[in-house]
Amino acid sequence: MDNSLQRGAGVLCHISSLPNKYGIGTLGKEAYAFADWLKSTHVKYWQILPLAQTGFGDSPYQSVCCNSGNPYFIDLEALKTEGLIDGEELASCEMPCGDVDYGALYENRYKILRTAYARFNIKDEEFLAFVESGEFEDYALFMSLKSRYSGAFNTFPDSYKFREELALKEFKETEYKSEYCFWQFVQFIFRKQWLKLKEYVNSLGIQIIGDLPLYVAYDSSDLWANPELFKVDENLNLTEIAGVPPDYFSKTGQLWGNPIYNWEYMETNNFDWWIKRLKSATALLDVIRLDHFRGFDRYFSIPAGEETAENGVWKDGPGLKFFIQIKQRLGNVKIIAEDLGIIDAEVTKLRNRTGYPGMKIMLFAFNGEEDNPYLPKNIEENSVAYTGTHDNATTLGLLNRMTEEQFRVFKSRLRAALVYENEVYPFVTRKQATLATCVCALASPANVAVIPVQDLLGLDDSARMNQPSVPQGNWRFRLNSIPDRRTAAILRKAVEKYNR
């Protein structure tokens, strides 16, 4: 299969990281301003993290529903324009600038959304059609139950935990206006606002790359509504959980805790749940970054109850037959394979057979090994080059932790890589080396090069988005303002120079 992407450059900046005065980035005017800024740099891609509603821990990779939109991203100013909240109510939502305070956000954001909902006409034809489509039926019931009972779904009364049809029907009727339609409302508003923004971004000649996590959360409508698709026992307790073995990020591995798929069962209906999930994603995104691609070849399974990932085992995933189903049923979906971590020949073989571009990380390139797959001379065109990802330290953060000797070696190896790319880019300081690393990615043979906005701005690890295996303090980074014209000019010059 040939699934290569058009040559171009991109910037990685999640919606939550956009600036405004409401505590977290939204789909409001700052998102449009950022899109305009991207247009001024001549990049072709805007990459974001998962859009889904976050659960405990605030991670976009642990959602209450994999196809949902995050209610925190709803533009409150648009709600005021529509007459659903007033100026005083809008002003009450203002929060200090700086990193996201999820605790404060949880306390005030849903209150204002419920105020808006109270003034919304739930008999609106467009809204009724949205509800009747059924896409968020399980989600709305799940969230309504959580509103009543709190806690995870396995603490619900058994009639709800095990989805007894009559009990759910009566519950929906009882909670229809107060809860069920509220949760449909937040998804309806999110979807309208997102599609409007996406249409604008696309009109500027920019495609949106979005993340699709491999796994879903245990406490999610996904598992609650489809327990047969996961490795759970008769009481819906997990028997196996996901993670990765010891690696670059963690000496004891990563214990993600996500449920493991029952791939054997999924195959009996041609992976129908996955196909629906991907179809939903293609309506929201132009390119899908398929997270943890190696899990489709073999996945790491850890017995439930383990305290680390050290006792996990590798098991076979669905392999090529899964991707054949995608091609046959959805056509040529644009996918980037997140093929990082422990990669063996079989994973590479699977990626090559799908034709999906893999990922190349500049921060991993300079260990002195000539066969390093991330060195520019070893990067194939059908790939996506990054300085780093949301899971890495920022480039400056990494360089700041180096000793003088380590930094000297890094500089010599980076200069050698730039020479290979016929690039003479003088740099001395660690901040200058950060920009030189961005240049190295942009000058690489990869069809697509994506620079995290933190690296573009030369920010240190105080701007880091996520630190794997650290459960708190992540996903909080926000810009203080839209990047300036000088930064745009630097990026635009590189985009033009390297024909991106």
Side-chain angles (χ1 to χ4, degrees), residues 51 101 116 188 268 294 374 409 417 420 424 428 458 472 478 490:
L51 289 166
D101 182 342
F188 174 72
T268 63
R294 77 135 305 120
Y374 305 121
V409 172
Y420 170 80
V424 179
V428 177
Q472 296 180 331
R478 292 182 74 206
I490 292 171

Side-chain angles (χ1 to χ4, degrees), residues 63-66 138-139 142 218-226:
S63 175
V64 297
C65 173
C66 65
D138 293 325
Y139 161 85
F142 179 79
Y218 172 68
D219 188 28
S220 65
S221 62
D222 307 301
L223 189 145
W224 175 67
N226 307 281

Side-chain angles (χ1 to χ4, degrees), residues 441-452:
L442 291 163
S444 76
N447 278 344
V448 179
V450 177
I451 310 299

Side-chain angles (χ1 to χ4, degrees), residues 357-368:
M359 292 176 57
K360 308 298 180 183
I361 309 300
M362 290 294 106
L363 292 183
F364 298 163
F366 306 116
N367 63 357

Side-chain angles (χ1 to χ4, degrees), residues 161-162 227 231-239:
K161 172 182 174 180
F162 295 106
K231 295 294 181 74
V232 295
D233 62 22
E234 65 276 6
N235 290 315
L236 306 187
N237 296 315
L238 296 175
T239 58

